[in-house]
Amino acid sequence: MTDPTVSRQVNSPLKRNESNGEFKRLLLPETSQLDSDDPTESPADLPDNQVLNIEEDGEKTLDSVPPFSWAKLWKFTGPGFLMSIAFLDPGNIEGDLQAGAVAGYSLLWLLLWATLMGLLMQLLSARIGVATGRHLAEICRSEYPSWARKLLWFMAEVALIGADIQEVIGSAIALQILTRGFLPIWAGVIITSFDCFLISYLEKCGMRKLEGLFAVFIATMALSFAWMFNETKPSGQELIIGIIVPKLGSKTIRQAVGVVGCVITPHNVFLHSALVQSRKTNPKDINRVQEALNYYNIESTAALFVSFMINLFVTAVFAKGFYGTKQADSIGLVNAGHYLQEKYGGGVFPILYIWGIGLLAAGQSSTITGTYAGQFIMEGFLDLQMEQWLSAFITRSFAIVPTMVVALMFNTSEGSLDVLNEWLNILQSMQIPFAVIPLLTMVSNEHIMGVFKIGPSLEKLAWTVAVFVMMINGYLLLDFFMAAANGFFVGLLVFAGVVSYVIFIIYLVSYRSSQSSSWSSIEMSQRVVSTET
């Protein structure tokens, strides 16, 4: 029987004639933080006040996975809800309201399945973080050659900037609503940009304070959109039918693509693998790792159930109010509140301001998680060591500068902001393969994951989901660029970009194949070892 406390050396080459002990240490995942003699080797080390020690029995090695405990589940609760914010950002909210206005209740079934697909990817992200003690950006840095990991970092930063622009603009629109138009979009962008200092302060106060803030944000969104749901009284029967019965019409394909395309956010894939580092778990103890994975699976599922309900509320409200109306094709974040006010009027709590409060919570929470994700992405890929406030400031600057330009350029036109949002969705869709393929490559690699490598059935399911989402986004990209590529020169540039894009994806997939094949002889030898012992 393999001793669960045995550690593996990082990236050690193995030969087929090595002793059984060499093969046995493959059963445990790589852990650069715990196995390295140099405590500064990993940039993901978190300060003590950001790591919760959830072990009640010290560092004692467990003989089996402990039974379920509600108290233990509470200690693990937090990272999944921070992760779920990406399913509730202003870009998703806009996708929800447009799906409801154009397609009514008919795409709710797709929203459910899209959320389940997103859940699968996030569970795999958490799995790699817990099992290895490192987050995905760090693992990419150690596994890919220098040119590939720098290109992956660039793609991740581009995706993050695109998401952040949407999130900051969403917050600025909410502030404009709540101040009755007094604050212009650009002023709201400046106010929102200061959240990087808020996250630095909360990080110093401890991880639980940060998680508490996000609990307030999520509760605010839930209460705001639930209040709107109750106020507008959507049809319960049509809602249930929309969830259960798949239905897709030719006029709703674009909204369907938007619903599926929003479920996997590139920076969120990197983020979740880092968030789980906030709970101190020994990756060299198989039973402790399995216990942590069990609790994270429960917590993440609960978090995405909450996010699904919030997205459902938004979709149902706009399905009830605007499906089949002349406003359906022109509604967006900028004018949604005013359309709601015209439709449902004022009252003690005007629906316009309830909408603004919910949108502000969505925008602020997602910009903070974006800043947090940016820190891990930059430090992980580039192996940078710096003060957290400086890291947050640099990460925020990457997004705020282009966002200010965007706010000044598009401040006067609702139609222009809709065009901008479409471009940003395309930008983020293009980056999905560069987060998903490395994730599935690493989580299915025994060299990295040890016994926590996903099985063949789960691996096939994960790749099927990934290919499906990438094909959906590929359709969106093709449709967009076919309309945008006017003229020989522009068409040539688009063609060259597409060829380069496809070549890099092929490289990432083939790199996966070479990694898998190089370890096939080791897997066969392990079977021999297990039968002999």
Side-chain angles (χ1 to χ4, degrees):
M1 180 177 177
T2 305
D3 182 5
T5 62
V6 177
S7 65
R8 295 174 44 207
Q9 297 176 5
V10 177
N11 297 330
S12 59
L14 295 179
K15 301 176 182 179
R16 295 189 61 173
N17 61 352
E18 287 179 325
S19 65
N20 290 353
E22 293 291 328
F23 293 114
K24 285 184 178 181
R25 63 194 179 90
L26 277 172
L27 294 174
L28 291 168
E30 294 182 346
T31 55
S32 63
Q33 293 183 32
L34 295 175
D35 295 341
S36 173
D37 294 331
D38 183 3
T40 66
E41 183 175 324
S42 172
D45 293 333
L46 297 174
D48 291 340
N49 65 342
Q50 293 181 40
V51 179
L52 303 181
N53 188 354
I54 45 82
E55 305 299 346
E56 299 174 351
D57 47 4
E59 298 296 328
K60 183 179 70 173
T61 301
L62 302 179
D63 296 326
S64 62
V65 179
F68 175 81
S69 165
W70 287 103
K72 202 69 168 288
L73 176 62
W74 172 247
K75 292 182 178 180
F76 278 99
T77 298
F81 284 89
L82 268 69
M83 168 272 296
S84 72
I85 293 296
F87 291 73
L88 299 168
D89 66 11
N92 276 312
I93 297 298
E94 184 166 35
D96 293 336
L97 68 88
Q98 290 175 341
V102 175
Y105 303 94
S106 65
L107 294 181
L108 289 177
W109 66 274
L110 191 59
L111 175 63
L112 173 61
W113 283 100
T115 303
L116 292 175
M117 288 189 289
L119 173 63
L120 173 61
M121 293 300 161
Q122 295 305 147
L123 291 181
L124 295 180
S125 176
R127 186 183 188 90
I128 199 171
V130 175
T132 65
R134 299 183 295 166
H135 60 78
L136 183 58
E138 286 184 289
I139 297 173
C140 288
R141 175 169 54 84
S142 64
E143 294 295 319
Y144 288 110
S146 176
W147 70 269
R149 66 172 176 259
K150 288 178 181 177
L151 189 53
L152 285 172
W153 167 74
F154 176 76
M155 294 297 188
E157 289 289 355
V158 168
L160 183 59
I161 290 171
D164 216 7
I165 291 174
Q166 286 182 313
E167 294 157 2
V168 172
I169 292 292
S171 294
I173 291 172
L175 289 172
Q176 190 176 55
I177 291 172
L178 295 175
T179 59
R180 298 185 177 184
F182 176 77
L183 280 180
I185 297 292
W186 63 266
V189 169
I190 294 176
I191 293 173
T192 304
S193 66
F194 286 103
D195 62 15
C196 65
F197 299 105
L198 174 63
I199 191 174
S200 298
Y201 171 75
L202 289 173
E203 283 177 337
K204 292 180 180 179
C205 294
M207 180 54 75
R208 276 305 199 191
K209 300 291 191 305
L210 184 63
E211 292 170 353
L213 174 65
F214 282 98
V216 172
F217 281 137
I218 294 173
T220 301
M221 282 185 276
L223 291 173
S224 297
F225 299 137
W227 185 93
M228 292 171 56
F229 182 87
N230 182 68
E231 186 76 6
T232 56
K233 296 178 172 56
S235 170
Q237 181 180 357
E238 291 185 60
L239 189 148
I240 294 173
I241 292 174
I243 294 175
I244 297 176
V245 180
K247 183 180 179 182
L248 185 62
S250 58
K251 295 181 179 180
T252 61
I253 289 179
R254 194 170 188 83
Q255 283 69 38
V257 169
V259 169
V260 176
C262 290
V263 298
I264 298 178
T265 308
H267 72 267
N268 207 39
V269 174
F270 290 101
L271 176 63
H272 199 195
S273 64
L275 290 175
V276 295
Q277 310 295 326
S278 62
R279 271 59 176 174
K280 185 177 180 182
T281 302
N282 184 359
K284 297 186 291 183
D285 188 329
I286 291 177
N287 292 309
R288 289 195 187 277
V289 171
Q290 187 59 59
E291 178 191 33
L293 289 175
N294 292 343
Y295 285 119
Y296 281 131
N297 290 346
I298 296 171
E299 186 239 4
S300 297
T301 302
L304 289 195
F305 173 76
V306 173
S307 74
F308 168 74
M309 293 303 300
I310 293 174
N311 285 312
L312 182 146
F313 289 154
V314 176
T315 303
V317 165
F318 285 87
K320 169 66 175 180
F322 302 102
Y323 177 57
T325 67
K326 62 180 181 180
Q327 297 101 328
D329 292 327
S330 61
I331 198 165
L333 280 183
V334 178
N335 55 23
H338 298 292
Y339 283 168
L340 285 168
Q341 189 73 1
E342 291 174 2
K343 183 78 174 182
Y344 297 103
V348 179
F349 300 104
I351 195 170
L352 172 65
Y353 300 116
I354 300 298
W355 165 254
I357 291 171
L359 182 60
L360 182 62
Q364 281 295 291
S365 59
S366 55
T367 55
I368 295 175
T369 54
T371 302
Y372 212 39
Q375 293 180 48
F376 289 116
I377 289 171
M378 184 170 62
E379 293 173 2
F381 274 112
L382 303 183
D383 193 17
L384 297 178
Q385 301 289 333
M386 63 179 67
E387 293 290 335
Q388 287 188 326
W389 70 267
L390 180 59
S391 176
F393 177 76
I394 294 174
T395 302
R396 170 55 72 224
S397 298
F398 279 146
I400 288 300
V401 173
T403 302
M404 279 298 300
V405 174
V406 164
L408 292 173
M409 289 177 59
F410 295 95
N411 187 42
T412 59
S413 172
E414 294 178 4
S416 297
L417 283 173
D418 289 338
V419 171
L420 169 68
N421 188 62
E422 188 175 13
W423 274 96
L424 293 174
N425 286 336
I426 294 297
L427 183 68
Q428 294 175 76
S429 298
M430 291 176 63
Q431 315 308 321
I432 288 177
F434 308 121
V436 171
I437 293 176
L439 171 66
L440 299 187
T441 298
M442 304 308 170
V443 81
S444 59
N445 191 328
E446 191 166 15
H447 169 55
I448 295 170
M449 297 294 294
V451 293
F452 296 103
K453 166 186 177 291
I454 59 175
S457 298
L458 182 56
E459 183 178 358
K460 290 177 182 176
L461 175 63
W463 277 103
T464 300
V465 169
V467 169
F468 174 70
V469 173
M470 286 187 283
M471 287 179 64
I472 289 291
N473 284 281
Y475 168 84
L476 185 63
L477 291 173
L478 182 63
D479 179 65
F480 183 81
F481 283 118
M482 287 292 287
N486 297 319
F488 174 78
F489 183 69
V490 175
L492 186 63
L493 287 178
V494 170
F495 176 77
V498 169
V499 170
S500 302
Y501 179 81
V502 171
I503 288 175
F504 189 43
I505 291 177
I506 292 174
Y507 167 78
L508 293 175
V509 174
S510 62
Y511 186 84
R512 168 185 178 270
S513 300
S514 64
Q515 287 288 314
S516 300
S517 61
S518 67
W519 291 96
S520 58
S521 61
I522 296 175
E523 293 178 9
M524 180 61 70
S525 301
Q526 281 184 317
R527 296 191 186 102
V528 176
V529 171
S530 62
T531 55
E532 289 178 354
T533 55

